[in-house]
Amino acid sequence: MNYLELINKCLLELNYREVNTFSELVKNDHKRIMTNLNVINNEICNSDNWNFLLRTKTLNIPAHTTMVENPIKGRILHLLIDGEKYKFKGDFEQFLTSNPPQKTYSMCANQLIFPKFPTNKNAEIIYYTQNSAVDSNGNEKEEMDTQSDQSLLPMPFAQQLLVYGTCLRLKGNPSYIKFNYWLSMYKEALANLKSKSSIYAKDSAGIKLFRQ
């Protein structure tokens, strides 16, 4: 479901008139819906270590080099060199000494820091992307901003989470007639996403609700 379709689903839930094109989205309520769809999308994507956000990248580390610009836009889960897992160490100053820690890496000013290797090395990096949307050409991006963009949240969960989550944020009043319905549907979709996004049977569903 693309961005325009999600917006129209929100308009329908809020008893507003739907639109045919992106250019019709000029009212303040339109802008609020558009903004909150991205807020909800980003918050859910960043709320957990979702399998659907896992990505891989190979990083070349030249010989006798300790600092390499970090190409990862997200959070690193595993970093392997020569098939061995390297652990992250927050104290980057240790890498500047004559005896840096081995099989570890660190970061400073968007530079990944490694022990100095005598030969070129390739680091295999598994990470969670910080992006939460994708355009019609398959290019990932941080937010939806054109009508054909889609959330990285998998269907059918994306529609239910984004539409009901956006409506909850916009109204934000438990006494509103549809509030409890939106809340129950949102909780159900989030629990289902949690339980079905992992192949590990003992991963349990959890509920998180984001409100202003």
Side-chain angles (χ1 to χ4, degrees):
M1 178 165 284
N2 65 36
Y3 193 23
L4 182 60
E5 291 169 332
L6 288 169
I7 292 167
N8 272 327
K9 288 291 184 181
C10 291
L11 290 170
L12 187 64
E13 281 295 324
L14 295 163
N15 295 319
Y16 296 153
R17 187 167 65 87
E18 297 178 70
V19 299
N20 295 313
T21 64
F22 217 58
S23 61
E24 296 177 51
L25 299 169
V26 295
K27 297 181 180 180
N28 287 337
D29 282 343
H30 293 158
K31 302 299 183 184
R32 291 177 63 211
I33 289 171
M34 294 166 71
T35 297
N36 279 289
L37 275 169
N38 275 308
V39 169
I40 292 293
N41 191 39
N42 287 331
E43 285 183 340
I44 295 173
C45 286
N46 290 317
S47 69
D48 213 328
N49 294 330
W50 303 110
N51 287 345
F52 56 83
L53 296 180
L54 281 172
R55 305 289 183 268
T56 61
K57 193 174 189 69
T58 300
L59 173 67
N60 177 255
I61 307 170
H64 310 294
T65 300
T66 58
M67 302 182 73
V68 181
E69 185 172 352
N70 179 22
I72 302 302
K73 294 184 177 180
R75 296 170 291 124
I76 295 175
L77 176 62
H78 298 303
L79 187 150
L80 299 94
I81 301 175
D82 294 334
E84 296 188 80
K85 188 183 296 185
Y86 277 54
K87 293 183 178 180
F88 178 77
K89 199 171 186 66
D91 185 7
F92 67 88
E93 293 182 358
Q94 294 185 36
F95 289 80
L96 307 179
T97 66
S98 58
N99 188 28
Q102 299 301 301
K103 295 184 180 178
T104 61
Y105 70 99
S106 189
M107 175 180 273
C108 177
N110 204 41
Q111 298 280 317
L112 289 174
I113 309 174
F114 301 94
K116 190 177 291 186
F117 299 107
T119 59
N120 294 344
K121 295 289 184 180
N122 285 327
E124 303 298 328
I125 303 175
I126 303 171
Y127 67 99
Y128 293 99
T129 179
Q130 70 180 24
N131 293 319
S132 59
V134 62
D135 66 20
S136 57
N137 294 318
N139 300 310
E140 292 187 2
K141 56 203 302 186
E142 292 188 17
E143 291 190 344
M144 297 178 286
D145 54 23
T146 63
Q147 68 179 49
S148 59
D149 290 345
Q150 297 185 37
S151 168
L152 289 181
L153 293 170
M155 290 295 288
F157 313 107
Q159 177 183 336
Q160 195 167 327
L161 286 167
L162 297 179
V163 172
Y164 295 130
T166 295
C167 291
L168 285 167
R169 286 185 69 96
L170 284 169
K171 290 304 179 180
N173 184 356
S175 64
Y176 186 76
I177 189 170
K178 286 189 174 181
F179 188 90
N180 288 332
Y181 169 73
W182 291 337
L183 181 58
S184 65
M185 296 298 285
Y186 179 91
K187 285 182 175 181
E188 177 185 282
L190 194 57
N192 286 335
L193 174 62
K194 179 68 175 179
S195 64
K196 295 178 181 179
S197 65
S198 174
I199 62 171
Y200 183 53
K202 291 187 177 180
D203 276 353
S204 59
I207 297 297
K208 295 176 183 175
L209 177 63
F210 306 97
R211 293 177 58 186
Q212 288 179 317

